[in-house]
Amino acid sequence: MNNSKKNYLFTSESVSEGHPDKVADQISDAILDQFLAFENTSHVACETLVTTGQVVIAGEVNSEVYVNLDKLVRDVIEKIGYNDSRLGFDARSCGVLNALHSQSSDINQGVSRAEGEQGAGDQGMMFGYACNETPNLMPLTIDLSHKLMYTLAQIRHTEPQMMPYLRPDAKAQVTVEYDGETRRPVHIDTIVVSTQHDEFITPDDDTNPDSVKAAEQQMQERILQDVRGILIPTTLETYSDDVRRLYDNNTRVLVNPTGKFVIGGPNGDTGLTGRKIIVDTYGGRGAHGGGAFSGKDPSKVDRSAAYACRHIALNAVAAGIADEMLLQVSYAIGEAQPVSFNVNTFGTSHVPQSDGEIAQILSELFDMRPAAIISRLKLLNPIYSETAAYGHMGRKSETVVKEFVSTLPGHAKKSLAVELFTWEKRDMVDVLRAAFALA
């Protein structure tokens, strides 16, 4: 009897910075960064809605900082590329409605305690995940999806002559075949790219359905040719030969499967902060507690504890404790210590301890109180705008200088050297290898 496990397919998706939900995320995180740059103890929970010609900002803030939201919102939209009224959403002409108000005193009293006893800003469970199938310890499906979208945006911003018809909104979806025994990628099965574009081929007779359909087909064929010949090869150049070999003539490539994609962005679909939480994390691998990230300061454990869990799982897999790890913590609002701490290695562990024993050791090595997480990962810095597109996990940890301009009279400038994506640092690998007696 053959007991071998059959191969299986798994799919993840990503969206571009011009996707309406991501536009909302970027606005929310830009607002958060502006508050933190001038008062790093600001408490912010900012939600954004974008639709045709309109932006609505709502949420709670506890800060002495004044922010010119109108200018900040327009700057974010302009940078993304919505700067033409033909797109139905234009940085210069859209309306901006501000409905921010003070944070609830009931919530504030739970998080504004002595530093070590700062309570969680909400109840809930958070997850962190890592696996060793890519160098950044992310699932290949979500990593490749992100990189396709990032490369497409770079082409649009810096080399528009390569694909001159591109507009800001886009999606990518990657399906990978995995070995049923080893859980390792063996083939890239399908790549789907849907990208907004100019109507760069017009029908000879726009009253003739056949002529209209022919023009749409010609546009679709040109974009498919460029995705195959430019986007995918450029993206795959960032990977090793082992990954590049997974893409071959048997890989299906689908581009704008419904036909033309001219109407897009907030003009085509309303966007909301926090609607792309699976894109933000692991593409459906591992798990997600349900809480969104963008627009929330680090007192909200939805964000800070999810980053801390990724940091632990990343370092544990990098240390060789397991090939794959999913870590969960949970909190009660106002309480500092987690309610639970759980580890699942999916049978890929390389140490004699059980998953429960691994969890116990990790919980002793990593202080998961909110204040400790914030301090360890340097989360009071304005580091969040960079997280709002192309994923919060699997990114490069680096120090950059960011410039902020006060919106008060005088427009004082502030330069801050900040460390981005601190939860991606492999700074605990040696400690973990010693703790688990790994050679």
Side-chain angles (χ1 to χ4, degrees):
M1 181 178 178
N2 185 2
N3 292 319
S4 63
K5 296 179 180 178
K6 291 184 178 180
N7 289 6
Y8 61 92
L9 300 176
F10 191 84
T11 302
S12 298
E13 73 158 353
S14 181
V15 299
S16 73
E17 63 199 39
H19 185 281
D21 293 330
K22 278 292 147 198
V23 174
D25 284 343
Q26 288 165 92
I27 291 171
S28 291
D29 273 337
I31 292 170
L32 171 61
D33 274 356
Q34 186 74 10
F35 276 106
L36 291 177
F38 290 95
E39 184 183 304
N40 69 2
T41 56
S42 297
H43 287 167
V44 180
C46 177
E47 313 295 340
T48 303
L49 177 148
V50 294
T51 188
T52 304
Q54 184 69 50
V55 179
V56 179
I57 310 295
E60 300 79 43
V61 173
N62 184 6
S63 177
E64 297 299 319
V65 176
Y66 171 78
V67 174
N68 184 338
L69 287 172
D70 186 88
K71 182 180 186 307
L72 187 62
V73 166
R74 295 183 194 282
D75 287 347
V76 172
I77 296 168
E78 175 80 25
K79 183 179 179 181
I80 292 169
Y82 287 110
N83 50 18
D84 187 333
S85 60
R86 292 176 302 170
L87 300 179
F89 188 72
D90 180 6
R92 293 162 293 193
S93 62
C94 65
V96 179
L97 175 63
N98 173 15
L100 287 175
H101 57 85
S102 298
Q103 186 182 56
S104 160
S105 59
D106 292 346
I107 293 175
N108 188 58
Q109 69 180 352
V111 298
S112 297
R113 298 176 180 170
E115 182 176 329
E117 296 307 314
Q118 174 183 326
D122 201 354
Q123 71 176 46
M125 65 280 193
M126 300 85 211
F127 291 89
Y129 177 79
C131 62
N132 63 5
E133 64 188 60
T134 59
N136 60 0
L137 304 187
M138 289 287 286
L140 178 59
T141 51
I142 187 66
D143 192 59
L144 181 52
S145 295
H146 284 323
K147 285 185 169 63
L148 286 165
M149 288 292 89
Y150 180 79
T151 302
L152 193 70
Q154 289 300 105
I155 291 171
R156 178 170 58 87
H157 285 302
T158 65
E159 298 184 88
Q161 72 282 359
M162 294 177 70
M163 299 174 74
Y165 46 79
L166 291 176
R167 289 183 174 182
D169 195 1
K171 282 187 171 185
Q173 181 175 286
V174 175
T175 300
V176 170
E177 179 185 354
Y178 285 83
D179 184 284
E181 292 285 350
T182 65
R183 295 167 64 92
R184 306 295 297 178
V186 295
H187 184 241
I188 297 171
D189 182 84
T190 305
I191 294 175
V192 183
V193 175
S194 296
T195 182
Q196 187 187 16
H197 57 87
D198 294 334
E199 194 153 10
F200 57 94
I201 297 175
T202 55
D204 296 330
D205 180 0
D206 58 13
T207 65
N208 183 330
D210 291 336
S211 180
V212 171
K213 186 175 181 180
E216 290 183 6
Q217 186 173 353
Q218 289 176 53
M219 287 191 290
Q220 188 178 27
E221 289 173 353
R222 165 69 190 277
I223 300 171
L224 172 61
Q225 175 184 332
D226 289 347
V227 167
R228 283 187 177 275
I230 299 172
L231 176 61
I232 293 176
T234 303
T235 303
L236 288 175
E237 285 176 5
T238 64
Y239 286 95
S240 67
D241 289 342
D242 288 343
V243 172
R244 287 199 291 267
R245 280 193 288 267
L246 303 181
Y247 174 79
D248 58 28
N249 291 333
N250 293 319
T251 300
R252 291 191 302 165
V253 178
L254 305 176
V255 173
N256 288 3
T258 61
K260 72 175 183 178
F261 182 6
V262 172
I263 300 171
N267 185 39
D269 190 15
T270 297
L272 291 169
T273 300
R275 278 208 304 202
K276 286 292 175 283
I277 58 176
I278 300 304
V279 171
D280 286 343
T281 51
Y282 308 104
R285 288 279 290 275
H288 195 293
F293 300 154
S294 290
K296 297 178 180 178
D297 74 81
S299 72
K300 314 298 189 297
V301 284
D302 277 341
R303 182 168 217 164
S304 55
Y307 292 165
C309 288
R310 164 65 178 174
H311 182 237
I312 297 170
L314 172 87
N315 277 271
V317 171
I321 293 170
D323 295 337
E324 186 177 2
M325 179 177 289
L326 178 68
L327 189 147
Q328 184 209 52
V329 295
S330 64
Y331 292 87
I333 188 169
E335 294 295 318
Q337 290 289 353
V339 174
S340 68
F341 189 107
N342 177 269
V343 165
N344 185 353
T345 63
F346 303 94
T348 68
S349 172
H350 299 294
V351 296
Q353 291 88 351
S354 67
D355 284 358
E357 290 168 333
I358 293 172
Q360 179 63 38
I361 296 171
L362 293 178
S363 67
E364 292 170 357
L365 290 172
F366 292 88
D367 189 341
M368 293 297 284
R369 292 176 299 168
I373 293 171
I374 290 168
S375 175
R376 180 166 71 248
L377 299 181
K378 305 175 186 178
L379 298 182
L380 290 180
N381 291 313
I383 58 174
Y384 298 102
S385 292
E386 288 79 4
T387 70
Y390 312 114
H392 294 241
M393 316 301 179
R395 307 287 294 277
K396 181 182 179 182
S397 179
E398 59 182 340
T399 299
V400 301
V401 176
K402 298 180 69 172
E403 303 284 343
F404 294 90
V405 179
S406 171
T407 51
L408 287 171
H411 303 288
K413 293 184 179 180
K414 193 169 189 178
S415 295
L416 294 172
V418 297
E419 195 172 355
L420 304 177
F421 302 101
T422 53
W423 48 94
E424 295 297 319
K425 292 176 67 175
R426 305 185 188 196
D427 53 354
M428 289 292 288
V429 170
D430 290 342
V431 173
L432 291 175
R433 291 183 69 83
F436 286 90
L438 291 165

